[in-house]
Amino acid sequence: MFGFISRRIAMALVVMFVVALISFLLFRFVGDPVNQMVGIETTPEQREALRQRLGLNDPILVQFFRYILGAIQFDFGNSYQFKQPVADLIGRRLPATLELSFASAIFALLFGIPMGIYTGLNRDSLLSKMFLSVSLVGIALPTFFIGILFIFFFSVTLQWLPSFGRGEVVALGSFWDTGFLTISGLKAIILPAITLGLYQMTLIMRLIRAEMLEVMRTDHIKFARARGLPNRSVYYIHALKNTMVPVITITGLQLGSIIAFAIITETVFQWPGMGILFLQAVQNVDIPIMAAYLLLTAFIFVFINLIVDILYVVIDPRLRTERGRA
Amino acid sequence: MTDNTPTVSGSEASEAPRSAMARFLDSDLLHSFLSSKVTVLAAFTTVVLMLAALFAPLVAPFNPFDLAQISIMDARIPPIGMEWSDPRYLLGTDDQGRDLLSGILYGMRISLAVGFLSVAFAAVLGISLGLISGYVGGRADAIIMRIAEVQLTFPAILLALLIDGIANGIFGNIDRETWAIWILTFSIGLSFWVQYARTVRGSTLVEKNKEYVQAARVIGIPAWIIMIRHVLPNVLGPVLVIATINLALAIITEATLSFLGVGVPSTQPSLGTLIRIGNDFLFSGEWWIAIFPGLALAILVLAVNLLGDWLRDALNPKLR
């Protein structure tokens, strides 16, 4: 088990190194940092002096290590469009994105798991068939269009919920603004969180359904029934427990894509998070923000993957004796 | 399904070889297709939509790109059946007075073109790398599969966004309007190749040790010819399934990127661009500008998805 985990950590480090290299190459070569910092009237000599001062004439390897060193201390350089440190810009918007992702993950689990159990146990009931066909449509509808439909029905037509922004936020400490503590903040998060979590919800539902169908056929369930255990304890103790391993894996991995898909949801609902910042950076070729976002999301994904891999071994004893599945 | 495959192949040796059409008409594939009503409906919808998009200049009542045909006076006319509607415009008009139905048909053309091209690009790239990875093995295999693993860590949509942004950074100053579609196709294709490569690699590893490949190798045929002429045709089955499902994904990705404003330029609106334009008018009550292109997109994607699901089940021998 120790060997497996250390192999996984090594792999994660390699991925991070590659991503850091790509991010550095982007930062250094796609946009010229000097051109972005000076005006037209700057003389070539002044440019050269700036180049020297920024260390752009050093060997590439030295620059790369300086970049990594900076990144570890959250120094990603200055944004081209805002002329501010990228770390500040991202830091200010990170809480909004994390709160949205958290809310939608909770939504997906809270609805996905019970729906999965229900459809798995009653596979032929009318309600199950309805859940499944709705989930098929949910997969076919692109996230942004679901968001637009929600806005159209709940904000424009019924006027129940706000269609943009975070509502009122309360400052927690110096760098975290939360929308969870005000009524308008809670109302504002409902539609974006459902939009973002809908796909994950259908995924979790289908997964649990498939697992339930499988587990219900196994011997230990038949044995539990033979012992005369009530249905409820067979379903929720013996069966559900055995479906949890893949659910944890998929949910963990989906957390990464929730953060990526937040870009779309944030755009639809004008949610002031990291995703909008990244999108603006892509549109305006603001390389430092793109490079930093790449590095940051890669770190989050790789970290989640690693945790999921380790959890997998910890939860499922069958995997401990096997050699790692690389 | 009827289990008549061995008898068919046995009789084929004695009788004259039947035409491809005759074999198709008697195949399990066609039988399973016709027995699923949902699939037939999905196929019909897909074909109709694709034909309508392909022949948009003939089918569409107006040409949304022809400035002589549009008038700002006709802007934001609601669809038929609502107050103030105009019988010339079945689904109403957008903010510039363009007929929405025509806009959707022309837009679907661009969506489908980007979808098909990017799937083709991803398939060619993925199949080539998968063949090399599986057939050559060794260091090439290790490198290709590590790249694939790293890439799989990231969701495709994020990659497509990043590649699009980087490409625009590198080719920043060239004419964006002509190149945007190609950059978009390239970035979507590049973010979808991994699945093909992994599948093809897997089947190549199996095929590589079969007798026909060994025979070809013994008589001295070069490796690349063996890969293309002998291995490739035998690993294409699963690729077809992935390609169909990926077409739906590619169309969604294109629409999403265009909606986010980094996809196709608004001079050549795809379905995603139309929805983005319509989104601005949602609050003033002109819902049709966003909702109709969105429904067209959803129907197209759902139909292609259902076809892909059926194909996956029909080609999977375990489920027969």
Side-chain angles (χ1 to χ4, degrees):
Chain A
M1 184 168 152
F2 180 74
F4 172 78
I5 291 176
S6 51
R7 253 201 315 281
R8 277 287 147 192
I9 292 178
M11 180 72 201
L13 287 177
V14 171
V15 173
M16 274 321 292
F17 181 80
V18 172
V19 173
L21 187 66
I22 297 172
S23 159
F24 165 72
L25 292 176
L26 264 182
F27 179 75
R28 178 65 186 80
F29 293 108
V30 173
D32 182 3
V34 171
N35 262 350
Q36 299 288 338
M37 291 170 73
V38 297
I40 288 172
E41 65 279 4
T42 322
T43 61
E45 289 77 34
Q46 283 170 314
R47 281 169 192 259
E48 193 46 46
L50 189 61
R51 224 160 231 294
Q52 190 68 37
R53 195 157 54 77
L54 290 171
L56 294 175
N57 293 331
D58 296 344
I60 286 298
L61 226 57
V62 174
Q63 293 190 40
F64 178 47
F65 282 111
R66 195 182 299 139
Y67 182 77
I68 290 192
L69 225 64
I72 291 172
Q73 299 159 16
F74 297 110
D75 175 11
F76 300 100
N78 282 342
S79 150
Y80 293 164
Q81 8 161 24
F82 300 105
K83 314 287 178 205
Q84 285 172 28
V86 172
D88 289 358
L89 288 167
I90 290 184
R92 222 172 303 139
R93 284 151 179 265
L94 193 64
T97 298
L98 288 184
E99 282 186 1
L100 177 61
S101 307
F102 176 73
S104 62
I106 295 290
F107 161 77
L109 289 172
L110 222 57
F111 285 83
I113 293 179
M115 280 163 82
I117 296 174
Y118 180 81
T119 49
L121 294 177
N122 314 288
R123 55 183 306 191
D124 295 321
S125 86
L126 196 67
L127 195 61
S128 294
K129 287 194 175 128
M130 223 174 72
F131 281 160
L132 284 177
S133 12
V134 168
S135 81
L136 197 66
V137 175
I139 287 174
L141 283 177
T143 312
F144 70 92
F145 189 57
I146 293 178
I148 290 178
L149 287 179
F150 278 165
I151 291 182
F152 178 59
F153 284 118
F154 296 107
S155 303
V156 179
T157 312
L158 299 171
Q159 303 200 331
W160 284 352
L161 295 164
S163 64
F164 65 91
R166 288 181 77 188
E168 251 179 275
V169 290
V170 178
L172 290 179
S174 56
F175 56 89
W176 193 286
D177 291 331
T178 179
F180 284 147
L181 296 176
T182 60
I183 300 221
S184 72
L186 286 174
K187 271 173 102 174
I189 207 169
I190 294 176
L191 287 184
I194 294 179
T195 307
L196 185 54
L198 211 56
Y199 181 77
Q200 271 71 25
M201 184 196 85
T202 55
L203 205 70
I204 291 172
M205 179 188 106
R206 285 167 163 261
L207 190 74
I208 295 209
R209 174 178 176 272
E211 288 291 324
M212 275 304 235
L213 289 175
E214 194 123 309
V215 170
M216 292 306 284
R217 281 199 294 262
T218 55
D219 286 344
H220 78 274
I221 295 297
K222 284 186 196 145
F223 187 65
R225 279 199 196 285
R227 272 161 66 203
L229 292 177
N231 270 346
R232 198 143 51 110
S233 72
V234 174
Y235 293 153
Y236 297 109
I237 298 176
H238 293 79
L240 189 60
K241 222 162 88 181
N242 279 290
T243 65
M244 278 295 127
V245 176
V247 173
I248 289 172
T249 328
I250 298 289
T251 314
L253 296 181
Q254 287 300 314
L255 251 159
S257 45
I258 282 187
I259 292 175
F261 276 92
I263 300 173
I264 303 162
T265 314
E266 284 176 11
T267 310
V268 177
F269 290 94
Q270 290 302 304
W271 187 264
M274 240 174 20
I276 288 193
L277 184 72
F278 173 67
L279 194 66
Q280 282 173 349
V282 169
Q283 283 162 342
N284 300 317
V285 199
D286 193 340
I287 300 292
I289 293 187
M290 280 165 67
Y293 186 86
L294 175 67
L295 213 55
L296 194 70
T297 43
F299 178 74
I300 296 176
F301 291 169
V302 169
F303 186 70
I304 292 173
N305 275 354
L306 190 67
I307 298 286
V308 167
D309 272 342
I310 293 174
L311 264 184
Y312 214 78
V313 191
V314 172
I315 294 174
D316 195 336
R318 284 169 296 187
L319 287 171
R320 275 180 220 159
T321 47
E322 281 173 40
R323 302 274 297 153
R325 344 144 282 127
Chain B
M1 293 310 107
T2 49
D3 193 12
N4 59 354
T5 355
T7 52
V8 166
S9 56
S11 62
E12 243 178 345
S14 53
E15 291 167 21
R18 294 183 302 159
S19 71
M21 194 62 205
R23 266 187 294 161
F24 174 70
L25 286 177
D26 193 30
S27 65
D28 287 351
L29 201 64
L30 185 70
H31 187 75
S32 116
F33 176 75
L34 291 177
S35 62
S36 158
K37 284 199 188 74
V38 176
T39 311
V40 174
L41 187 67
F44 178 73
T45 313
T46 312
V47 170
V48 167
L49 288 179
M50 282 181 184
L51 286 179
L54 187 65
F55 296 108
L58 302 175
V59 182
F62 295 89
N63 178 359
F65 300 114
D66 183 3
L67 291 176
Q69 287 188 20
I70 58 178
S71 154
I72 197 77
M73 297 299 288
D74 292 334
R76 298 191 244 166
I77 292 177
I80 293 288
M82 284 175 67
E83 216 178 338
W84 309 112
S85 68
D86 183 320
R88 285 179 301 158
Y89 307 113
L90 189 63
L91 300 181
T93 59
D94 70 1
D95 60 317
Q96 292 172 38
R98 292 181 294 206
D99 175 44
L100 209 54
L101 177 63
S102 312
I104 289 174
L105 289 174
Y106 276 84
M108 204 182 289
R109 228 176 167 202
I110 292 168
S111 295
L112 280 168
V114 173
F116 273 113
L117 284 174
S118 53
V119 165
F121 175 54
V124 169
L125 185 68
I127 292 170
S128 327
L129 289 175
L131 272 177
I132 294 172
S133 195
Y135 192 81
V136 179
R139 189 168 291 174
D141 180 35
I143 293 175
I144 293 172
M145 284 302 114
R146 283 302 93 74
I147 296 175
E149 249 169 62
V150 173
Q151 182 163 338
L152 269 189
T153 321
F154 298 93
I157 184 106
L158 184 64
L159 277 175
L161 252 178
L162 265 173
I163 299 169
D164 193 76
I166 295 167
N168 284 327
I170 295 172
F171 310 113
N173 299 324
I174 59 170
D175 187 8
R176 178 148 167 76
E177 290 201 351
T178 40
W179 283 96
I181 287 190
W182 296 105
I183 292 179
L184 187 67
T185 307
F186 171 77
S187 41
I188 297 175
L190 204 59
S191 47
F192 281 118
W193 67 272
V194 174
Q195 226 183 338
Y196 299 92
R198 284 165 79 112
T199 315
V200 169
R201 173 180 178 269
S203 355
T204 306
L205 284 176
V206 176
E207 296 295 323
K208 175 169 126 174
N209 294 321
K210 288 196 177 159
E211 279 167 2
Y212 72 94
V213 175
Q214 285 172 350
R217 210 180 298 156
V218 167
I219 58 173
I221 296 177
W224 65 274
I225 293 185
I226 300 183
M227 277 193 251
I228 294 171
R229 295 249 322 256
H230 302 283
V231 180
L232 182 63
N234 289 302
V235 299
L236 279 183
V239 167
L240 191 65
V241 177
I242 301 178
T244 316
I245 293 172
N246 264 1
L247 176 64
L249 264 178
I251 292 173
I252 288 191
T253 310
E254 183 279 326
T256 306
L257 292 186
S258 295
F259 173 76
L260 294 177
V262 293
V264 299
S266 45
T267 46
Q268 293 163 300
S270 73
L271 290 176
T273 326
L274 291 175
I275 299 170
R276 179 164 63 104
I277 296 170
N279 194 23
D280 296 338
F281 296 96
L282 211 53
F283 294 96
S284 44
E286 282 105 8
W287 51 270
W288 58 91
I289 307 179
I291 302 292
F292 283 136
L295 287 180
L297 176 70
I299 293 170
L300 178 66
V301 169
L302 187 64
V304 176
N305 253 336
L306 287 171
L307 266 186
D309 280 351
W310 164 76
L311 204 60
R312 185 188 56 206
D313 295 346
L315 291 182
N316 186 351
K318 277 188 211 151
L319 291 176
R320 286 210 187 136

